[in-house]
């Protein structure tokens, strides 16, 4: 016997309300700037919401650090902001010791720098292994580095829902591989890769491993040091809420600092920035991965969010994330599966990151309807809706109302 639609909705709403009442992180919802007219923001994995405290911090930064201290602020802290903030990201979100993480550039540029450095550090190896389903920037950068270094891109074919598996790696990586580039969490399916196992497999083949953490940093705990990761890049404006154009971060394992040389040699990554000498000598340590003047202003919001992530703890954030995606999958089972919607994410929460994707041929039009009514997921070509659930800024009720709105928009579509 199937329950009547309104009983199903009542049951799900009671479940969501109960989960919110027991959510130890519920208090953090108040920390974010409210968005009038938005009933469900399901895109915090693409652009995190601003914190209320950030407006104040930005105006103080303009009045004091910039406005009053003027250029003296470079000596009084700004020069070290990229590495100080990098160390905090490392400690709070990456499971990495200090001195290996820097904040600068965009993910795209950082990826280029690290990938180029990795390929040129591996003479005798001429292949870059990349997932064919990876995010466009990762594929395009791999192709550009290959073209510039004489290497070849070797594509890994993966299951669109389960994502990359150890067997895919063992079938593709060889003694010709210089470096492997993979996403920790797949931007479409949210499939969570086995970072420790895959890194170890890549090392058995003698290659370097570069992880893209854009869709996991700030949502999924990791242990970059313990898992022997060589290189990683990640985004500052997704789960780290740094705001549009906020810089990326890069992690380079300490043992590699003397072996790698990044290709964009600028004065800010030189050993003595103000010597104005002839010829470039790279700085020691992680500083060498900086090129030009770092975007200090854009690091203010990122720093505020890191405070919040630290207070909440990345493990508690992951627990809430699992709870949110679990509720959304429950609601899918009751409301959307019977309508022929496909689940495009792993059903097992241990196998997925912080978002859930669904597929249906009506979803381009459904997304348009949803945006008009203040329900904001994103649409992924050709027929996917991605429901992003940033744990500190999203309630269970908000997540559920998003799924209910998808269901209602499908009804409206059918009626039209
Ligand atoms: C969001 C994202 C990027 C973004 O790169 P930008 O240089 O910040 O535009 C790169 N890679 C992946 C996997 C992403 O999800």
């Amino acid at each position: 016997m199937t329950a009547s639609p309104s009983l199903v909705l009542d049951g799900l709403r009671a479940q969501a309300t109960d989960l919110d009442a027991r959510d130890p992180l519920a208090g953090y919802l108040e920390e974010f700037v409210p968005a009038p007219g938005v009933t469900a923001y399901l895109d915090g994995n693409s652009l995190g919401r601003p914190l209320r405290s950030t407006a104040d911090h930005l105006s103080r930064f303009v009045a004091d650090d910039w406005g009053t201290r003027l250029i003296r602020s470079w000596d009084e802290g700004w020069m070290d902001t990229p590495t100080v903030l990098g160390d905090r990201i490392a400690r709070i979100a990456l499971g990495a010791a200090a001195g290996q993480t820097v904040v600068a550039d965009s993910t795209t540029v950082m990826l280029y720098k690290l990938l180029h450095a990795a390929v040129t550090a591996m003479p005798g190896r001429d292949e870059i292994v990349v997932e064919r389903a990876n995010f466009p920037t990762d594929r395009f950068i791999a192709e550009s580095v290959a073209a510039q270094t004489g290497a070849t891109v070797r594509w890994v074919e993966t299951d669109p829902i389960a994502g990359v598996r150890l067997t895919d790696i063992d079938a593709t990586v060889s003694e010709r591989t210089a470096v492997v580039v993979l996403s920790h969490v797949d931007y479409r399916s949210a499939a969570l890769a086995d970072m420790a196992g895959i890194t170890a497999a890549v090392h058995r083949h003698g290659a370097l491993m570069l992880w893209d953490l854009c869709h996991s940093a700030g949502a999924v705990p990791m242990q970059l040091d313990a898992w022997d990761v060589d290189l990683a890049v990640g985004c500052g404006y997704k789960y780290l809420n740094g705001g549009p154009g906020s810089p990326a971060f890069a992690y380079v394992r300490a043992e590699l600092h003397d072996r790698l040389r990044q290709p964009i040699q600028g004065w800010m990554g030189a050993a003595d920035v103000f010597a104005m000498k002839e010829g470039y000598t790279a700085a020691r340590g992680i500083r060498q991965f900086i090129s030009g003047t770092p975007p200090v202003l854009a690091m203010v919001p990122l720093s505020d969010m890191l405070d919040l992530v630290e207070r909440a703890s990345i493990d508690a954030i992951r627990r809430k994330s699992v709870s949110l995606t679990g509720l959304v999958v429950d609601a899918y089972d009751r409301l959307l599966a019977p309508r022929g919607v496909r689940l495009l994410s792993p059903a097992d929460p241990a196998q997925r990151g912080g978002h859930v994707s669904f597929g249906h041929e009506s979803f381009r039009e459904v997304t348009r309807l949803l945006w008009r009514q203040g329900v904001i997921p994103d649409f992924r070509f050709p027929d996917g809706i991605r429901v992003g659930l940033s744990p500190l800024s999203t309630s269970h009720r908000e997540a559920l109302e998003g799924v209910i709105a998808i269901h209602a928009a499908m009804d409206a579509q059918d009626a039209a």
Side-chain angles (χ1 to χ4, degrees), residues 45-46 106-109 111 134-135 137-138 183 185 187 212-215 235 237-238 246 248 386:
N45 60 329
S46 210
S106 61
T107 302
T108 301
V109 172
L111 196 59
N134 210 335
F135 189 79
T137 243
D138 301 61
S183 285
V185 168
Y187 79 104
D212 185 322
L213 310 177
C214 282
H215 279 282
C235 213
Y237 54 80
K238 291 175 179 167
S246 166
R386 193 174 66 170

Side-chain angles (χ1 to χ4, degrees), residues 115 128-135 138-143 153-157 172 179-182:
L115 199 51
I128 303 171
V129 169
V130 188
E131 227 182 319
R132 197 184 294 280
N134 210 335
F135 189 79
D138 301 61
R139 292 182 276 112
F140 299 162
I141 289 294
E143 289 175 321
V153 174
R154 201 170 148 92
W155 301 103
V156 198
E157 312 292 342
T172 321
V179 54
V180 178
V181 186
L182 296 171

